[in-house]
C-alpha cells in the first residue's frame, strides 16, 4: 500500500489504513515494515470513507503501520485512552502482554481445515 512506501522513504513515521483481508499487513510484510490490525471494533471507523463497500461479515478495521514496533505500541497505548464514542467501550492496551510468546494453533476437530493444511 502507499503508506508503506511513504514510511520507507521516511515521509512519515506512522501510517493508518483499512485492513479487511490483510491489506495493510500483507503490504507491510512485502516491503519490510511493521503492521498491526487491532481487533475489529477496537477503534471506531466512523467518518472513514472507502471506495469499496465491505460485506457485513467482513467489517473493516483500522490497521497501523510503522518502521518500528515500538511506535505501534505507543500509538495503541495513546489511542486506547481516546473516547471512541458511545458504542465502543474504552479498552486499555495492556503492556504486560508484550514480549510473551504466542501460540498459534489449528483446530484439529474441523476436517475441512485439516484437509486444507498439509501436515
Amino acid at each position: 500500500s502507499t503508506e508503506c512506501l511513504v514510511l520507507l522513504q521516511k515521509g512519515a513515521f506512522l501510517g493508518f489504513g483499512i485492513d479487511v483481508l490483510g491489506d495493510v499487513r500483507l503490504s507491510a510484510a512485502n516491503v519490510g515494515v511493521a503492521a498491526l490490525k487491532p481487533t475489529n471494533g477496537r477503534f471506531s471507523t466512523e467518518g472513514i470513507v472507502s471506495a469499496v463497500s465491505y460485506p457485513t461479515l467482513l467489517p473493516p478495521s483500522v490497521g497501523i503501520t510503522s518502521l518500528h514496533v515500538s511506535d505501534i505500541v505507543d500509538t495503541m497505548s495513546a489511542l486506547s485512552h481516546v473516547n471512541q464514542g458511545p458504542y465502543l467501550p474504552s479498552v486499555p492496551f495492556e503492556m504486560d502482554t508484550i514480549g510473551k510468546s504466542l501460540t498459534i494453533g489449528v483446530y484439529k476437530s474441523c476436517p475441512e481445515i485439516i484437509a486444507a493444511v498439509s501436515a
Side-chain angles (χ1 to χ4, degrees):
S1 69
T2 307
E3 73 252 13
C4 292
L5 297 176
V6 171
L7 288 169
L8 283 176
Q9 296 298 318
K10 308 286 195 271
F13 71 93
L14 203 61
F16 294 90
I18 297 295
D19 196 323
V20 177
L21 294 171
D23 306 337
V24 170
R25 294 163 290 151
L26 291 174
S27 298
N30 284 330
V31 297
V33 300
L36 174 73
K37 177 189 175 194
T39 302
N40 187 26
R42 174 105 188 205
F43 298 118
S44 174
T45 55
E46 184 177 339
I48 294 177
V49 179
S50 177
V52 180
S53 66
Y54 297 103
T56 306
L57 295 174
L58 293 172
S61 182
V62 178
I64 306 169
T65 57
S66 180
L67 292 174
H68 306 285
V69 173
S70 61
D71 292 334
I72 294 175
V73 170
D74 292 343
T75 302
M76 288 294 295
S77 271
L79 290 177
S80 68
H81 299 322
V82 173
N83 182 359
Q84 298 285 326
Y87 302 109
L88 291 175
S90 178
V91 179
F93 186 68
E94 297 180 14
M95 296 296 294
D96 61 346
T97 59
I98 303 295
K100 292 184 179 178
S101 63
L102 299 175
T103 302
I104 300 173
V106 176
Y107 287 106
K108 292 185 177 182
S109 61
C110 186
E112 295 82 13
I113 292 176
I114 293 170
V117 178
S118 59

